[in-house]
Amino acid sequence: MTDKATLVVGDQRYDLPIVQGTEGERGIDIRKLRDQSGLITLDPGYGNTGSCRSAITYIDGERGILRYRGIPIEQFEQHPNFVEVAWLLIFGNLPSREEYARFSAELTGNANIDESMKHNFQGFPRAAPPMAILSAMINALSCFHPELHELEGPDQLEAAAANLISKVRTIAAFAYRRSHGLAYMYPDPKLPYAANFLHMMFSQPYNEYLCDDRVRDALNLVLILHADHEQNCSTSTVRMVGSSKANLFASCAAGVCALWGPLHGGANVKVLDMLETIHQGRMTPEEYVRLAKDKGSKVRLMGFGHRVYKSVDPRAVVLQRTAERLLAFLGTDDPLLNIARRLEEIALSDSYFVERKLYPNVDFYSGIILRAIGIPTNMFTVIFAIGRLPGWIAHWREQNESPDGKIARPRQIYTGNRETAYKPRDQRG
Ligand code: CMC
């Protein structure tokens, strides 16, 4: 098999090396192309651009495969432990018993935020979007931990990871409490990660929220299935910000902002809006699908389609199963689940969606689970962010330690004015 590609431009030929990944993916290394030829490559949206080599997550979008450090995500369904997966992503293998105990203790020890940070929450209007609060508070957190700005070695990275992964959950719960005018609940050191989050969300000073194991497992699974997805928009943002040697807090705060958008993590909120619209009888599923196909409407079938998956999104498959299981356990008959099933059925038998290879993605069923747990819609993307944080940290680390880790700085094809002389204001119309 050839290990180089040849680009022919006019009568010039340029040899470019081919790189290959462990699963046989191949790419053309164009780093020297501009030096050799004066040419750059143009790829808006980076749909065909490899920005790095990465050993964290593998996706085969044609076959619907997603693996974290080699482990197929379906295998976590029987072992829904988000803390384990966080370690796996960041440090490269499942934690030993000693590592697991230590990391869990670090998460517990880091769960409280500085008491004075509570005042920051009061500074936001009650209706402030929780994603805005989350991003701002992650940056605020960095002010309390200057010792974690420059990370030297794995021990310090572990400390920073435990700090962020633990506190982001407290910040998210406090943002919810603030928006509902509820007393802040302190973390309970006896509770594991997901149960502790639900405690901070839903306990009252006089009434402790008791978390059923199946609810805790469902939340763990939601967090796990969001934990990493290689070079998606928010992770690429974290890597890009980190490439300037910005600290981990600043980079992850930027990741939250990128995730907020409705084409990315914010889609889970839009899916619920869509299902509610149909449920309230403002549109039938058939009418919604028709509108989503109409290019003039600007409406999309939310929770459908993906840049990489051109067959099933394996996360959606596990999430649908989890939603069905959880609702059966809770004895809840959520009409939105039936609407989602109906939309999926219509879309998957419609040539528009079939030809474009548009399938349900991670956001299509996750909201049904979160709703059943009692999490309000405006917190859905925050849950996505809590889940994605270990992935962001893993990528920040990888990018920071990589010998290829240069500052991210794409080029462009300039299409503006040619050189133009400055005209003084008194000579302009
Ligand atoms: N509904 C209707 N048409 C769609 C949809 C959709 N959900 N998604 C893509 N298309 C059409 C699109 O109009 C285009 O048609 P045409 O070729 O006729 O112009 C074609 O499919 C290709 O779409 P694209 O926008 O070029 O694809 P992309 O890879 O740039 O975008 C996407 C991927 C996920 C942004 C897009 O599918 C979308 O907007 N989906 C809805 C939002 C959503 O669910 N986002 C969550 C993504 S998964 C979780 C995450 O990453 O956070």
Side-chain angles (χ1 to χ4, degrees):
M1 199 176 290
T2 172
D3 57 356
K4 67 170 193 215
T6 305
L7 175 70
V8 180
V9 184
D11 56 1
Q12 297 293 319
R13 296 168 70 86
Y14 306 103
D15 286 341
L16 300 163
I18 298 231
V19 289
Q20 181 155 339
T22 46
E23 291 286 346
E25 263 179 332
R26 304 173 80 218
I28 302 172
D29 182 342
I30 54 145
R31 276 177 287 188
K32 298 264 186 292
L33 178 63
R34 187 169 180 277
D35 286 349
Q36 289 171 1
S37 66
L39 296 165
I40 65 161
T41 55
L42 180 65
D43 182 21
Y46 311 129
N48 201 41
T49 293
S51 59
C52 60
R53 298 174 208 236
S54 180
I56 301 168
T57 285
Y58 173 67
I59 301 178
D60 181 331
E62 273 70 38
R63 293 194 291 155
I65 292 173
L66 170 60
R67 298 184 198 137
Y68 296 158
R69 300 284 187 183
I71 303 177
I73 48 128
E74 293 78 6
Q75 294 190 13
F76 297 112
E77 208 173 344
Q78 303 306 319
H79 311 280
N81 184 321
F82 177 62
V83 172
E84 265 194 4
V85 171
W87 181 279
L88 169 74
L89 289 168
I90 299 168
F91 297 104
N93 36 37
L94 287 167
S96 66
R97 264 177 282 183
E98 190 271 325
E99 286 165 340
Y100 182 75
R102 190 179 72 227
F103 196 51
S104 297
E106 284 171 319
L107 290 171
T108 304
N110 272 293
N112 272 310
I113 53 173
D114 191 287
E115 200 60 19
S116 59
M117 269 187 89
K118 278 208 224 158
H119 300 296
N120 296 32
F121 287 95
Q122 299 309 117
F124 292 102
R126 283 274 278 268
M131 286 298 274
I133 300 179
L134 189 64
S135 173
M137 293 302 260
I138 291 176
N139 262 324
L141 194 57
S142 75
C143 307
F144 291 88
H145 297 284
E147 78 285 3
L148 297 176
H149 287 192
E150 307 253 328
L151 303 180
E152 308 261 337
D155 289 354
Q156 277 208 318
L157 181 85
E158 186 176 322
N163 188 299
L164 256 169
I165 292 173
S166 189
K167 287 187 170 55
V168 79
R169 165 190 62 166
T170 310
I171 290 170
F174 280 24
Y176 166 79
R177 308 287 295 200
R178 158 75 185 141
S179 68
H180 288 74
L182 299 167
Y184 301 122
M185 292 302 302
Y186 286 101
D188 180 343
K190 292 189 297 303
L191 292 175
Y193 192 86
N196 211 347
F197 173 65
L198 294 174
H199 152 71
M200 285 189 274
M201 287 282 288
F202 301 132
S203 285
Q204 301 296 345
Y206 45 84
N207 191 5
E208 196 185 339
Y209 170 86
L210 296 174
C211 178
D212 186 275
D213 287 357
R214 274 155 287 198
V215 172
R216 180 204 61 199
D217 286 354
L219 181 58
N220 263 299
L221 212 43
V222 169
L223 296 175
I224 288 169
L225 292 170
H226 289 85
D228 193 40
H229 214 231
E230 45 116 308
Q231 310 309 320
N232 60 87
C233 177
S234 57
T235 302
S236 298
T237 300
V238 170
R239 288 186 84 119
M240 180 167 262
V241 175
S243 79
S244 75
K245 302 293 171 204
N247 68 60
L248 183 62
F249 295 86
S251 305
C252 290
V256 171
C257 293
L259 188 71
W260 191 358
L263 296 187
H264 191 13
N268 53 17
V269 173
K270 297 292 176 194
V271 169
L272 244 286
D273 293 348
M274 173 181 78
L275 298 177
E276 286 284 8
T277 299
I278 296 170
H279 178 52
Q280 288 160 11
R282 284 186 275 141
M283 228 182 270
T284 64
E286 288 76 8
E287 283 167 344
Y288 204 100
V289 169
R290 209 172 306 132
L291 205 59
K293 294 193 296 179
D294 174 1
K295 300 290 179 202
S297 76
K298 297 215 164 77
V299 169
R300 286 194 162 194
L301 190 56
M302 297 312 287
F304 252 74
H306 198 273
R307 173 63 61 82
V308 179
Y309 292 116
K310 298 304 164 197
S311 68
V312 288
D313 178 338
R315 302 169 299 175
V317 176
V318 177
L319 285 171
Q320 181 178 9
R321 253 192 328 254
T322 308
E324 312 251 1
R325 206 165 44 228
L326 184 66
L327 293 194
F329 161 67
L330 295 173
T332 313
D333 183 19
D334 188 343
L336 299 196
L337 178 58
N338 290 330
I339 295 171
R341 284 198 201 107
R342 178 74 191 126
L343 279 172
E344 181 178 351
E345 188 184 15
I346 299 170
L348 295 187
S349 56
D350 187 309
S351 59
Y352 174 97
F353 293 90
V354 175
E355 279 160 17
R356 289 171 179 77
K357 301 184 176 158
L358 304 171
Y359 293 86
N361 61 46
V362 69
D363 294 313
F364 198 64
Y365 286 105
S366 60
I368 308 273
I369 300 171
L370 297 178
R371 221 166 102 90
I373 295 175
I375 292 169
T377 312
N378 72 346
M379 288 290 290
F380 286 6
T381 317
V382 171
I383 304 290
F384 193 150
I386 297 174
R388 185 56 53 93
L389 189 58
W392 290 339
I393 296 171
H395 282 273
W396 184 92
R397 177 193 189 189
E398 188 177 67
Q399 124 86 37
N400 236 269
E401 293 176 359
S402 162
D404 290 345
K406 298 166 80 140
I407 188 164
R409 205 302 184 189
R411 288 188 177 265
Q412 63 166 13
I413 300 287
Y414 175 69
T415 59
N417 291 339
R418 306 290 300 268
E419 184 174 342
T420 308
Y422 176 84
K423 197 189 262 187
R425 204 172 307 144
D426 59 5
Q427 291 173 26
R428 293 176 227 154

